[in-house]
């Protein structure tokens, strides 16, 4: 287990590095596109990417289930089972790729009808084809290899390749924009940069794993897709439907506004997801070996840290997001980007999503897809129905309200299920920890707004304010959580003693 623990820490370190750099690039690159080409072009790119992301539904949620299926044979060194799962996965995604191509062709001709803009047919359809190629390289080209590396605590390998790709993509994109190239040239050129990741992943797996092309057990198939598809749809709707609904009912410029705020919350989700991805394989290994006491303790430590980190990021973001947007959209006057109420609803929704991550990670690591699909169905229904009802009268606030209420429902469901079926943990601990962090964060936001003047005019001044706010928020939240959570104090003390011994 010591080796797995070390690999988990290394995975988290590499994943955090990747997510930090990806977050920075995710903030910088859209700014260049927004100022060079305007809100309408930025909105079209966001809308097309979201429409293309619907192809992820073709996967039927198989990715997470395959990862969970790999855990036991990897833990027991069953190379035949690993080969069978890998070959079946590869075959499945090869079939999916043909459907994906057909979808992209169909979307190419349908996009001018779905996406209302001032651009002509050729402009929109060619952008769909270019982004479709890029999306294929990013997602389908080496999925079997990616899932194997993730399950074997080697996610850092894949993310190292991905890091190289996104850095090169950013550099080339900015150079092309500065040279005055059109957006199609920029996207077409950089699409092929993303071939680096899948090609490198394929090469690494071929050199470090003995994968036989022979099927040893013809009865050993992939998990039942129906057990994971509902979870897959639920996650997808949480991530993508807001922009699609806005595209249809509110227009491309509102999509651009949404994407500017969303780029911040996506960066935060990526950072927390880095920890989750690093831990998932370890949890899967613990569950496969039936080490229940170890699972309970690991979960308590992970959840306690996640509570502090989630509250920290969301509190700092709530304080600084409007000053950031003012600077970020400076000079862009074709639509109003300053939407405080939307920003706060978005951050609240993300905070509730963040604090459920340990619960979702443990449930998926245990492979409990079938058992928890009722919660996923409820989240889908609430999100879609409320968003569609509220989008016309309330716009951005309406779609994010639908997301907020659906996330609350699914979070409560996950907490209840995990406590009853996987770990020995009373539900009241979660609600107590959540209340402590929410009240503390709210007080911090009010007090900092009252006693600190935060109105930076440049990114440098914003960074200075961010450092000041971060120090205060992190100190207060850490102190309050350690004071209120006896179990967390004991786990921190034990971990510190283990590190020192």
């Amino acid at each position: 287990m010591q080796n797995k623990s070390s690999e988990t820490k290394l995975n988290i370190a590499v994943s955090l590095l990747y997510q930090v750099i990806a977050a920075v690039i995710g903030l910088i690159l859209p700014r260049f596109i927004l100022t060079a080409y305007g809100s309408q072009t930025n909105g079209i790119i966001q809308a097309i990417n979201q429409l293309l992301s619907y192809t992820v539904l073709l996967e039927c949620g198989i990715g997470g289930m395959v990862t969970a299926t790999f855990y036991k044979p990897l833990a027991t060194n069953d190379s035949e089972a690993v080969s069978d799962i890998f070959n079946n996965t590869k075959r499945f995604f090869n079939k999916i790729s043909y459907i994906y191509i057909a979808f992209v062709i169909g979307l190419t001709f349908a996009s001018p009808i779905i996406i209302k803009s001032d651009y002509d047919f050729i402009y929109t359809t060619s952008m769909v084809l270019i982004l479709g190629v890029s999306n294929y390289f990013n997602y389908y080209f080496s999925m079997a290899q990616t899932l194997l590396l993730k399950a074997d605590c080697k996610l850092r390998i894949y993310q190292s390749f991905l890091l190289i790709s996104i850095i090169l993509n950013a550099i080339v994109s900015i150079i092309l924009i500065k040279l005055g190239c059109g957006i199609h040239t920029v996207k077409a050129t950089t699409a092929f940069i993303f071939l680096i990741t899948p090609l490198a992943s394929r090469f690494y797996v071929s050199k470090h794993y003995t994968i036989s092309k022979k099927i040893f057990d013809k009865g050993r198939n992939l998990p039942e897709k129906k057990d994971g598809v509902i979870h897959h749809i639920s996650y997808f709707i949480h991530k993508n439907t807001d922009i699609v609904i806005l595209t249809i009912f509110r227009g491309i410029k509102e999509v651009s506004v949404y994407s500017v705020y969303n780029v911040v919350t996506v960066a935060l989700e990526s950072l927390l997801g880095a920890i989750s991805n690093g831990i998932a394989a370890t949890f899967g290994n613990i569950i496969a070996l039936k080490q229940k006491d170890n699972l309970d303790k690991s979960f308590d430590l992970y959840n306690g840290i996640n509570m502090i980190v989630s509250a920290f990021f969301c509190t700092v973001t709530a304080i600084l997001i409007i000053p950031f947007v003012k600077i970020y959209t400076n000079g862009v006057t074709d639509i109003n980007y300053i939407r405080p109420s939307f920003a706060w609803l978005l951050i609240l929704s993300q905070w509730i999503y963040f604090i459920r991550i340990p619960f979702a990670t443990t449930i998926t690591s245990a492979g409990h897809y079938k058992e928890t699909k009722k919660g996923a169905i409820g989240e889908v229904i609430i999100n879609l129905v409320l968003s569609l009802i509220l989008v016309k009268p309330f716009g951005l606030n309406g779609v994010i309200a639908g997301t907020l209420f659906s996330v609350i429902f699914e979070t409560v469901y996950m907490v209840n299920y995990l406590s009853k079926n996987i770990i020995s943990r009373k539900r009241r601990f979660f609600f107590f920890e959540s209340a402590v962090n929410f009240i503390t964060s709210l007080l911090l936001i009010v007090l900092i707004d009252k006693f600190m003047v935060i109105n930076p005019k440049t990114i440098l001044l914003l960074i200075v304010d961010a450092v000041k706010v971060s120090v205060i928020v992190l100190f207060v939240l850490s102190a309050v959580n350690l004071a209120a959570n006896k179990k967390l104090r004991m786990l921190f003390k034990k971990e510190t003693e283990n590190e020192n011994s």
Side-chain angles (χ1 to χ4, degrees):
M1 280 305 296
Q2 185 62 39
N3 185 44
K4 286 291 181 185
S5 176
S6 299
E7 286 198 324
T8 299
K9 291 174 182 176
L10 188 56
N11 276 335
I12 292 173
V14 173
S15 197
L16 283 172
L17 175 64
Y18 162 71
Q19 299 296 356
V20 167
I21 293 175
V24 172
I25 290 172
L27 292 172
I28 293 172
L29 196 52
R31 164 69 183 174
F32 276 92
I33 293 171
L34 189 62
T35 54
Y37 306 109
S39 295
Q40 204 163 188
T41 297
N42 183 52
I44 282 181
I45 292 169
Q46 297 298 326
I48 292 172
N49 279 327
Q50 292 304 312
L51 289 168
L52 285 169
S53 69
Y54 271 78
T55 59
V56 175
L57 292 175
L58 297 171
E59 180 203 333
C60 301
I62 205 74
M65 291 188 293
V66 167
T67 303
T69 307
F70 269 128
Y71 289 144
K72 188 172 182 179
L74 285 169
T76 57
N77 295 313
D78 185 349
S79 59
E80 291 185 2
V82 170
S83 293
D84 284 356
I85 297 165
F86 180 87
N87 289 325
N88 279 315
T89 304
K90 192 173 179 181
R91 186 180 303 161
F92 174 80
F93 280 101
N94 284 342
K95 292 177 182 176
I96 291 297
S97 66
Y98 295 120
I99 304 173
Y100 173 83
I101 292 168
F103 179 89
V104 170
I105 293 170
L107 183 60
T108 300
F109 293 100
S111 57
I113 300 169
I114 299 170
I115 302 171
K116 303 292 190 299
S117 72
D118 296 332
Y119 296 118
D120 60 22
F121 179 85
I122 298 297
Y123 184 99
T124 305
T125 55
S126 57
M127 183 61 74
V128 172
L129 287 172
I130 291 167
L131 294 177
V133 170
S134 181
N135 190 55
Y136 175 77
F137 290 157
N138 267 323
Y139 194 76
Y140 289 107
F141 203 61
S142 63
M143 181 57 76
Q145 288 83 355
T146 302
L147 295 176
L148 175 59
L149 291 172
K150 183 177 180 181
D152 198 27
C153 287
K154 297 287 194 303
L155 185 65
R156 63 186 179 276
I157 304 298
Y158 169 77
Q159 288 189 322
S160 296
F161 300 144
L162 194 55
L163 190 58
I164 294 169
S165 297
I166 64 167
I167 291 172
L168 283 176
N169 174 61
I171 293 170
V172 173
S173 295
I174 291 170
I175 290 172
L176 292 175
I177 291 169
K178 287 293 186 182
L179 289 174
C181 297
I183 188 64
H184 290 74
T185 304
V186 174
K187 291 297 179 182
T189 304
T190 60
F192 290 94
I193 291 174
F194 286 108
L195 264 175
I196 292 171
T197 301
L199 290 176
S201 297
R202 287 185 170 201
F203 179 78
Y204 181 89
V205 168
S206 69
K207 293 296 181 182
H208 293 84
Y209 292 86
T210 304
I211 304 293
S212 174
K213 293 183 179 179
K214 176 185 175 184
I215 299 293
F216 294 95
D217 183 356
K218 292 183 179 179
R220 179 164 34 220
N221 296 315
L222 296 179
E224 285 294 324
K225 295 186 286 294
K226 64 182 180 181
D227 292 340
V229 67
I230 296 298
H231 292 273
H232 193 55
I233 291 171
S234 176
Y235 174 75
F236 176 84
I237 286 174
H238 168 77
K239 292 287 292 177
N240 301 287
T241 299
D242 288 353
I243 283 183
V244 174
I245 290 174
L246 285 170
T247 300
I248 296 169
F249 293 100
R250 283 287 180 161
I252 292 302
K253 289 186 179 180
E254 286 294 291
V255 171
S256 184
V257 174
Y258 184 100
S259 70
V260 166
Y261 286 89
N262 197 45
V263 76
V264 178
T265 57
V266 165
L268 298 183
E269 187 174 337
S270 297
L271 291 171
L272 288 168
I275 300 172
S276 171
N277 288 333
I279 287 173
T282 301
F283 273 24
N285 186 270
I286 292 170
I287 293 167
L289 298 175
K290 298 181 179 180
Q291 298 172 339
K292 194 171 188 310
D293 288 342
N294 191 12
L295 177 63
D296 290 346
K297 291 175 184 176
S298 298
F299 179 86
D300 282 333
L301 182 61
Y302 175 27
N303 182 67
I305 294 172
N306 184 72
M307 278 284 180
I308 297 171
V309 174
S310 299
F312 166 74
F313 279 133
C314 290
T315 305
V316 173
T317 303
I319 294 166
L320 297 173
I321 192 165
I322 295 300
F324 163 78
V325 171
K326 286 179 179 177
I327 297 170
Y328 193 80
T329 60
N330 183 39
V332 183
T333 57
D334 51 2
I335 193 169
N336 175 33
Y337 279 87
I338 310 305
R339 314 282 184 93
S341 59
F342 168 69
W344 296 327
L345 284 171
L346 179 64
I347 293 165
L348 179 59
S349 172
Q350 284 299 108
W351 175 69
I352 295 170
Y353 181 81
F354 291 158
I355 61 176
R356 88 180 191 197
I357 287 176
F359 297 84
T361 300
T362 310
I363 288 170
T364 54
S365 295
H368 287 212
Y369 291 91
K370 183 178 180 179
E371 297 85 347
T372 56
K373 64 183 180 183
K374 288 182 181 178
I377 292 171
E379 183 174 20
V380 168
I381 293 171
I382 293 168
N383 200 340
L384 282 177
V385 171
L386 288 181
S387 295
L388 288 169
I389 291 172
L390 299 174
V391 64
K392 280 202 171 183
F394 300 107
L396 289 171
N397 289 355
V399 293
I400 202 60
T403 301
L404 173 61
F405 285 110
S406 67
V407 169
I408 291 171
F409 169 82
E410 176 71 342
T411 300
V412 172
Y413 181 90
M414 283 186 175
V415 171
N416 184 60
Y417 180 85
L418 192 79
S419 298
K420 285 184 175 181
N421 298 280
I422 299 177
I423 61 171
S424 302
R425 195 174 198 268
K426 293 180 180 179
R427 288 165 289 177
R428 62 183 174 85
F429 288 136
F430 169 79
F431 295 110
F432 172 74
E433 292 165 342
S434 301
V436 166
N437 280 281
F438 179 76
I439 293 168
T440 305
S441 294
L442 197 59
L443 288 172
L444 281 166
I445 292 168
V446 172
L447 292 172
I448 289 173
D449 181 64
K450 184 176 179 63
F451 294 107
M452 288 181 67
V453 178
I454 299 177
N455 189 28
K457 302 299 181 184
T458 65
I459 286 292
L460 183 60
L461 292 175
L462 179 67
I463 292 171
V464 172
D465 283 339
V467 171
K468 293 176 184 176
V469 170
S470 296
V471 170
I472 295 168
V473 171
L474 183 59
F475 175 78
V476 173
L477 284 171
S478 299
V480 169
N481 275 272
L482 289 171
N485 193 332
K486 182 180 178 181
K487 188 181 287 189
L488 184 61
R489 287 200 306 273
M490 292 173 64
L491 287 168
F492 263 122
K493 184 179 179 181
K494 188 174 180 180
E495 283 293 312
T496 304
E497 290 172 353
N498 289 339
E499 290 290 333
N500 294 331
S501 62

